[in-house]
Amino acid sequence: MEYLDFELPIKELNEQLDKCQIIGEESDVDVTETCKNIEKKLEETKKEIYGNLNAWQRVQLSRHPNRPYTLDYIKAICGDSFLELFGDRGVKDDKAMIGGLGKIGDQSFMFIGQQKGTNTKTRQYRNFGMANPEGYRKALRLMRMAEKFNVPVVTFVDTPGAYPGLEAEERGQGEAIARNIFEMFRIKVPIIVIIVGEGASGGALGIGVGDKVFMLENTWYSVISPESCSSILFRSWEYKEIAADALKLTSVDMKKNKLIDDIIPEPLGGAHYDREATFETVKKTIVKTYNELSKKKIDTLINERMDKYANMGEFSE
């Protein structure tokens, strides 16, 4: 387990607990009571730290290297039924954007999402989860396929942003994202969006329009990352914590501002502390939401989807 800077007290207690257990195993000393006290202190420390996280700390948790990624969710939810589909039928297959058909029970879904790598080699292969235009065009192709065969769509958002390289701009990055947003309003099947990690800028919005939008508890969703915001406003990344707080990018802030529909709770410490529990919670959320959406007529569904986004941004002074 890797630890973030604010998790160091937890790391120290875990190390103390490990040493205590080793002493008990290698000697005749009864350390039962000591271990229980450390475990109690560890639980209290976790509740204190994770119960008072600020915006920047949640951003850090959303990027935790042990956190599950899109393919982890899909494989856990669908098992062997997942069939990945490739290519945008125009340029090439974008490895940062994955998608395909999978089943939950007897119901088929079209799963689409950004995929990050787990080590240096796979991060480069997946372009750090930053999709090119062909990735968004692949996503739209799969959504249209889902529409053709009346299969609901589930998207997993986890990206630091769309790829900002020159070649991406030459191939129409802005148009590809805008086209996806436009078309997703009119896709004639239920669309469920779940932010499972980072939800940054247009890179997230390119697959982020849905009938229901959820955020896992320790994720963020914003027009810009805290570091980039700090860099623009203060010409330095040093003020990223201030920027994170000002951007109101946490799941609680997004729910309060009516920009998402609900928050999916995570195990204490984050999704990586208990992956199986997180997968099960996400699976139940998808099934429950689909059962609700499937009861609506398609015209009603599309009108409500459009109204949902048209009504965003209301405020009073």
Side-chain angles (χ1 to χ4, degrees), residues 259-276:
L259 297 173
I260 63 167
D261 295 285
D262 212 346
I263 300 168
I264 300 175
E266 294 184 27
L268 185 66
H272 53 287
Y273 266 92
D274 192 341
R275 286 175 164 233
E276 297 307 316

Side-chain angles (χ1 to χ4, degrees), residues 167-184:
E167 61 271 32
E169 297 298 335
E170 288 175 341
R171 294 196 297 273
Q173 184 72 284
E175 188 277 337
I177 292 171
R179 174 63 58 184
N180 275 28
I181 295 171
F182 176 74
E183 294 292 345
M184 286 182 81

Side-chain angles (χ1 to χ4, degrees), residues 143 153-155 157 180-187 189-195 204-214 221 258-261 289 293 296 300-310 312:
M143 288 181 217
V153 175
V154 177
T155 69
V157 176
N180 275 28
I181 295 171
F182 176 74
E183 294 292 345
M184 286 182 81
F185 281 112
R186 306 190 298 177
I187 296 289
V189 290
I191 303 175
I192 302 168
V193 179
I194 304 175
I195 291 92
L205 286 175
I207 58 169
V209 176
D211 300 293
K212 293 290 182 181
V213 180
F214 299 93
Y221 198 18
K258 300 179 181 179
L259 297 173
I260 63 167
D261 295 285
T289 306
L293 296 175
K296 298 182 179 182
T300 302
L301 202 66
I302 292 175
N303 288 334
E304 288 181 355
R305 190 186 303 162
M306 290 183 174
D307 290 342
K308 170 191 174 75
Y309 285 87
M312 287 182 180

